[in-house]
Amino acid sequence: VQLQASGGGLVQPGDSLRLSCAASGGTFSRLTMAWFRQAPGKEREFVARITWAVGSPLYEDSVKGRFTISRDNAKNTVSLQMNSLKSEDSAVYFCAASVIGGSAATNYAYWGQGTLVTVSS
C-alpha cells in the first residue's frame, strides 16, 4: 500500500486546514486509516483514526471537537479536517494504514511521506 499525503501549509491560529491522503496498491476499504503527527524534538503521536467500516472514529484528546477524520472508500482517500488550529498543532502530519487498527504507531505498517503543518501568527 502506497500513501501520499497532501494539504499542509502555513496558517494562523484559529484557521482551518484540510489534509488528504491518497492510497494505492491495496484493499483500501479493509484498512484502518489514521493520522499521526510529529513535532520537532517530540515523538510521533496519534491524532485520529477511522476504521474500514467508516464508523467509530477515534481522536486524541487535544483534537476532539476540532479535527474530523473521514474517508471515501470509492476514491481510496482519507482526510483530516482541522479547525480552530493552535500553535501546538504544528507538526509533520503522516497518514498511515493498518489491518490491525488502534492508536499505536507500531500497529501501522504503511506510512505516507508526511506533510508539514505550521500554525503561526
Side-chain angles (χ1 to χ4, degrees):
V1 177
Q2 291 78 48
L3 302 174
Q4 181 72 37
S6 62
L10 172 63
V11 296
Q12 295 185 342
D15 284 353
S16 298
L17 203 59
R18 186 176 182 87
L19 305 183
S20 296
C21 178
S24 61
T27 307
F28 177 81
S29 61
R30 293 293 180 176
L31 296 171
T32 291
M33 301 300 297
W35 289 94
F36 289 78
R37 65 187 179 186
Q38 187 167 18
K42 295 187 177 181
E43 294 187 354
R44 190 168 299 189
E45 67 172 357
F46 170 78
V47 175
R49 71 103 172 97
I50 187 166
T51 61
W52 68 271
V54 200
S56 302
L58 180 69
Y59 298 96
E60 192 269 331
D61 286 346
S62 70
V63 307
K64 285 181 181 177
R66 300 188 298 121
F67 291 12
T68 302
I69 188 171
S70 60
R71 66 187 294 164
D72 186 335
N73 288 338
K75 296 181 179 180
N76 287 3
T77 59
V78 60
S79 298
L80 185 68
Q81 177 65 42
M82 305 185 293
N83 299 329
S84 302
L85 282 162
K86 305 175 181 180
S87 58
E88 52 262 43
D89 295 318
S90 296
V92 177
Y93 283 70
F94 299 88
C95 63
S98 171
V99 296
I100 301 173
S103 59
T106 53
N107 290 349
Y108 290 79
Y110 308 102
W111 292 84
Q113 85 288 1
T115 185
L116 178 62
V117 173
T118 303
V119 184
S120 175
S121 55

